[in-house]
């Protein structure tokens, strides 16, 4: 860092530029939010001298503000504030030489008097069209602010806003990776045994302490509710909890807690458990004191639901922290997997004890039984086995017919594995392979069986079950695709991280250069052109970041203006390819949308149309109002979409572009439009392909 006087009020231009370049590099290299906040405070102190500093953050457009980091303020300074009706978010610096006479900070007068604050400098931080926070400089002596100080602080705020958002996205990515790893481990544990009591106990110990400090599983058995397992991060607290339950058995009420979840099938999230709740639930003074001793501060209860039946409930309790919506979603995902394991285990148990129930459970679990008498070469298939494989109930069971069910490419390997197992001393066999059903469907079949051997160890009979696990295989493939999407998201975050910071640095340097004294007129024209080109580069970066960025809330917007803005971005490329663009765009098309996401969709569709259109051909874009909707149509005169490609056009990672494209554009676009409650469709023939987007004029629940 440049050696600067920490008490200087202003820096010369050379020092400021040097420090801003350092700031760009320093913030770019920070990944965690605490590191970025520490760097912002440190750089603020070197760039603009003040008595105290704070980085404020808002996640709702300015209604609620939180101080993420401070320096020079007392420990009891308020770090949570409501938005001020006297101020709406602005991109301009807010310089307040005298806090005692400024309406914006009128509500904070008592606080500033305690802190001795006389003047303020508030530097807004924005990303795209949304306010994300401020860097605030506090002065205990009255201070006027020069334009140079405002320019330097503005440049720092631009760097800081990008760095803070990038670090937040990085940490969210890390949390998502940990959540996926946890669910993967939980799924493996749940699939490892058909003894669901043991399995659920293992899962409860996985949840502690990853999600919660205390976890209990409750299962409905007949007319009663049984607590199957309990786990606590502190063994001493677990003993206390067990003693509490023994002394005061849980009373299930249909109006609250576990009872309400079992009755309604809806999850309960208690971010904070107030003292009044303990007092209301206490049966006596000892009961109240024991509840206090458990130190419960937050709770989640989610149903264990499978096949539209509620099997029980999962309860998570936190000590010393508060659960949020992300914790609730993770708990629901865990409960869903646990419920399936419970359901499968119960079906398996019933199968072992009752033949009639065996058939019912086989049908529900898509499994059937089989046996093979090796001495007499007799094979038996149950009716459920035949149903799983799509066979007629009258189909005879033979070795040739059975081997013919195995997918041709898997057949040789299955026979080799079978021969190897029979030649060994194993007592069990287990295979998984593809199968061709009688109706032509391709299934994945999981077979498990027991081997009966004679006194000499020779295999004489086999018997077991065959289960249709096609859905499980499809789920695994979906998880692999999810990981690919996560990789695409990490790539987008990396591009933003590596591109945005130097881009902001160049933008600010051009800004400072344009405002230099005695700048020749020709140089000013060139710098203005450079600024326009930098805006185009920034738009490209924002589109890339759109694969990974958190969504913002929907807001009123003019859709016609959004369409025109996207077309203006592509104007130069259209002219370069000599493509004729015609438009029919109504001027008044108001709707409540997430404007950045709609831009992303339109940019993708226009880009695709350009790729499909040759030099000299045309593209037509229209936007008009329909009852309750806005219709946007983008047509090109290209060669059209083949019938085979049309079937897969909206699948992730499918692309008709051989050397370019991720195959994610249309898939992401459809997700955005559906989130808005709208639709996206296409019609294609040689010489004309039209993509039509319909957006409701009012925001859907998912975008608000």
């Amino acid at each position: 860092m440049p050696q600067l006087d920490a008490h200087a009020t202003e820096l010369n231009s050379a020092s400021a530029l040097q420090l801003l370049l350092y700031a760009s590099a320093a913030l770019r290299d920070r990944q965690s939010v605490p590191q970025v906040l520490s760097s912002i405070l440190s750089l603020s102190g070197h760039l603009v001298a003040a008595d105290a500093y704070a980085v404020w953050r808002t996640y709702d457009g300015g209604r609620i503000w939180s101080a993420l980091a401070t320096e020079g303020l007392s420990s009891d300074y308020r770090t949570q504030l409501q938005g001020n009706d006297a101020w709406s978010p602005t991109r301009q610096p807010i310089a307040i030489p005298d806090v005692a006479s400024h309406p914006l900070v009128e509500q904070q007068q008592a606080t500033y008097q305690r802190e001795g604050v006389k003047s303020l400098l508030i530097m807004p931080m924005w990303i795209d069209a949304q306010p994300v926070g401020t860097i605030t400089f506090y002065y205990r002596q009255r201070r006027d602010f020069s334009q140079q100080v405002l320019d330097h602080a503005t440049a720092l705020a631009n760097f800081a806003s990008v760095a803070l958002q990038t670090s937040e996205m990085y940490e969210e990515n890390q949390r998502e990776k940990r959540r996926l790893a946890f669910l993967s481990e939980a799924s493996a544990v749940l699939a490892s045994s058909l003894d669901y009591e043991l399995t659920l106990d293992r899962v409860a110990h996985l949840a502690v302490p990853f999600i919660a400090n205390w976890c209990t599983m409750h299962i409905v058995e007949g007319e009663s509710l049984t607590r199957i397992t309990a786990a606590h991060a502190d063994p001493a607290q677990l003993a206390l909890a067990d003693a509490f339950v023994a002394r005061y058995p849980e009373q299930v009420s249909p109006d609250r807690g576990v009872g309400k979840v079992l009755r309604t099938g809806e999850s309960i999230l208690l971010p904070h458990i107030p003292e009044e709740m303990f007092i209301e639930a206490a049966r006596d003074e000892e009961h109240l004191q024991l509840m206090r001793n458990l130190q419960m501060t937050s709770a989640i209860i989610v149903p264990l639901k499978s096949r539209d039946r509620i099997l029980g409930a999962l309860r998570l309790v936190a000590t010393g922290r508060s659960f949020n919506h992300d914790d609730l979603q993770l708990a629901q995902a865990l409960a869903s997997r646990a419920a399936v394991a419970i359901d499968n285990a119960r079906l398996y148990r019933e199968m072992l004890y009752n033949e009639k129930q065996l058939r019912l459970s086989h049908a529900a679990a898509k499994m059937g039984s089989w046996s093979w008498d090796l001495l007499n070469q007799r094979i038996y298939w149950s009716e459920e086995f035949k149903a799983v494989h799509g066979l007629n109930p009258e189909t005879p069971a033979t070795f040739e017919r059975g081997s013919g069910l195995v997918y041709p490419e898997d057949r040789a390997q299955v026979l080799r594995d079978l021969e190897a197992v029979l030649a060994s001393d194993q007592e069990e066999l287990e295979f998984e392979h593809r199968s061709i059903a009688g109706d032509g469907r391709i299934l994945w079949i999981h077979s498990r069986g027991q081997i009966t051997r004679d006194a000499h160890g020779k295999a004489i009979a086999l018997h077991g079950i065959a289960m249709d696990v096609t859905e499980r295989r499809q789920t695994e493939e979906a998880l692999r695709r999810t990981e690919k999407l996560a990789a695409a998201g990490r790539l987008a975050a990396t591009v933003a991280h590596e591109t945005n910071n130097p881009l902001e640095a160049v933008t600010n340097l051009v800004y400072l250069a344009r405002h230099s004294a005695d700048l020749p007129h020709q140089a000013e024209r060139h710098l203005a052109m450079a600024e326009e080109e930098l805006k185009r580069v920034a738009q490209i970066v924002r589109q890339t970041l759109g694969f990974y960025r958190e969504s913002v809330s929907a807001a009123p917007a003019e859709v016609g203006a959004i369409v025109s803005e996207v077309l203006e971005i592509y104007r130069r490329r259209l002219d370069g390819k000599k493509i004729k663009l015609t438009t029919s765009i109504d001027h008044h098309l108001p709707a409540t949308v997430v404007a950045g996401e709609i831009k992303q969709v339109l940019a993708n569709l226009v880009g695709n149309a350009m790729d499909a259109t040759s030099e000299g051909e045309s593209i037509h874009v229209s936007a008009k109002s329909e009852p309750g909707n806005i219709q946007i149509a983008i047509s090109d005169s290209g060669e059209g979409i083949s019938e085979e490609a049309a079937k897969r056009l909206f699948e992730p990672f499918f692309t008709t572009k051989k050397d370019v494209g991720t195959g994610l554009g249309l898939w992401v676009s459809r997700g955005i439009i559906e989130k808005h409650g709208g639709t996206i469709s296409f019609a294609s023939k040689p010489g004309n392909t039209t993509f039509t987007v319909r957006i409701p004029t009012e925001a859907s629940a998912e975008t608000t």
Side-chain angles (χ1 to χ4, degrees), residues 9-327:
T9 58
E10 294 187 4
L11 304 176
N12 60 51
S13 297
S15 297
L17 287 173
Q18 185 180 7
L19 184 57
L20 288 172
L21 289 173
Y22 172 82
S24 173
L27 291 174
R28 180 188 62 203
D29 294 336
R30 303 297 188 266
Q31 288 187 323
S32 73
V33 172
Q35 288 176 334
V36 169
L37 292 172
S38 177
S39 295
I40 292 173
L41 291 178
S42 175
L43 291 166
S44 298
H46 284 81
L47 190 66
V48 178
D51 297 301
Y53 310 85
V55 179
W56 291 85
R57 185 72 164 91
T58 179
Y59 299 94
D60 56 10
R63 291 188 292 274
I64 301 295
W65 294 84
S66 301
L68 301 185
T70 65
E71 184 176 320
L73 297 172
S74 63
S75 59
D76 60 350
Y77 190 83
R78 288 183 61 190
T79 57
Q80 293 285 336
L81 295 175
Q82 295 280 345
N84 191 335
D85 293 337
W87 176 72
S88 59
T90 176
R91 291 181 180 271
Q92 301 303 316
I94 302 174
I96 305 178
D98 184 6
V99 298
S101 61
H102 201 288
L104 174 62
V105 294
E106 183 178 356
Q107 298 176 358
Q108 295 294 101
Q109 289 303 312
T111 301
Y112 292 150
Q113 288 178 6
R114 288 195 301 271
E115 293 288 330
V117 174
K118 305 295 185 183
S119 298
L120 283 179
L121 176 58
I122 302 173
M123 305 305 303
M125 296 191 296
W126 286 66
I127 290 292
D128 294 334
Q130 289 294 317
V132 298
T134 69
I135 304 175
T136 303
F137 302 83
Y138 301 82
Y139 298 86
R140 294 188 172 92
Q141 298 294 328
R142 193 185 186 284
R143 171 73 187 272
D144 292 315
F145 303 97
S146 68
Q147 185 59 46
Q148 185 179 28
V149 168
L150 298 179
D151 290 342
H152 295 168
T154 298
L156 177 62
N158 291 339
F159 289 133
S161 60
V162 174
L164 182 59
Q165 190 196 41
T166 301
S167 63
E168 289 176 341
M169 289 191 300
Y170 172 81
E171 291 197 348
E172 175 58 29
N173 180 42
Q174 297 304 305
R175 285 192 294 271
E176 183 62 22
K177 287 173 63 178
R178 290 192 294 270
R179 287 194 289 266
L180 288 173
F182 168 76
L183 289 175
S184 176
E185 184 177 0
S187 297
V189 169
L190 287 166
S192 64
S193 172
L194 288 173
D195 183 344
Y196 75 80
E197 289 94 340
L198 175 62
T199 301
L200 294 183
D201 184 67
R202 292 174 181 172
V203 171
H205 283 84
L206 276 178
V208 173
F210 185 83
I211 308 177
N213 300 92
W214 184 12
C215 172
T216 59
M217 296 272 194
H218 305 263
I219 303 299
V220 176
E221 295 183 339
E223 298 297 324
S224 62
L225 181 69
T226 303
R227 192 184 77 168
I228 294 295
T229 187
H232 200 290
D234 182 353
Q237 284 292 98
L238 179 59
L240 182 63
D242 287 339
F244 172 80
V245 173
R247 177 72 176 84
Y248 293 96
E250 184 164 4
Q251 295 180 343
V252 179
S253 169
D255 298 325
R256 66 172 185 268
V258 172
K260 183 176 181 181
V261 169
L262 295 177
R263 179 177 60 84
T264 64
E266 301 293 332
S267 301
I268 292 176
L269 168 63
L270 294 174
H272 173 65
I273 303 177
E275 173 72 9
E276 293 76 13
M277 187 175 292
F278 292 139
I279 296 173
E280 181 182 350
R283 302 175 203 172
D284 52 43
E285 192 60 35
E286 180 185 1
H287 190 203
L288 177 61
Q289 188 57 48
L290 286 174
M291 285 192 290
R292 288 170 174 165
N293 293 342
L294 291 175
Q295 302 174 10
M296 299 180 290
T297 58
S298 185
I300 289 174
I301 309 175
V302 295
L304 298 169
K305 187 186 304 183
S306 177
R307 294 185 297 140
D308 297 325
R309 293 190 302 126
I310 298 176
L311 309 179
L314 164 68
R315 176 162 50 197
L316 300 170
V317 176
T319 299
R321 71 180 186 90
S322 177
F323 286 130
N324 56 31
H325 186 67
D326 289 341
D327 297 316

Side-chain angles (χ1 to χ4, degrees), residues 422-443:
L422 294 179
S424 69
D425 58 355
Q426 296 183 33
E427 296 182 355
E428 297 181 355
L429 58 83
E430 185 171 3
F431 301 120
E432 193 160 298
H433 58 81
R434 287 173 292 178
S435 177
I436 303 177
D439 54 9
R441 291 176 297 123
I442 297 177
L443 311 173

Side-chain angles (χ1 to χ4, degrees), residues 518-581:
D518 302 322
L519 183 68
H521 178 69
Q522 187 66 22
E524 183 178 1
R525 288 182 62 249
H526 290 163
L527 288 172
M529 294 171 62
E531 275 191 332
E532 290 300 315
E533 293 302 310
L534 286 172
K535 289 179 181 178
R536 292 180 63 244
V537 175
Q539 174 66 19
I540 294 171
V541 171
R542 284 194 294 271
Q543 288 178 359
T544 303
L545 188 57
F547 286 113
Y548 199 68
R549 177 180 294 131
E550 294 178 347
S551 296
V552 295
S553 299
E558 277 288 347
V559 175
I562 294 175
V563 176
S564 298
E565 182 179 340
V566 172
L567 293 177
E568 187 62 32
I569 292 171
Y570 283 95
R571 180 75 63 180
R572 185 168 298 183
R573 283 184 58 193
L574 289 164
D575 293 342
K577 289 190 66 174
K578 297 181 180 179
I579 296 174
K580 180 181 179 182
L581 173 67

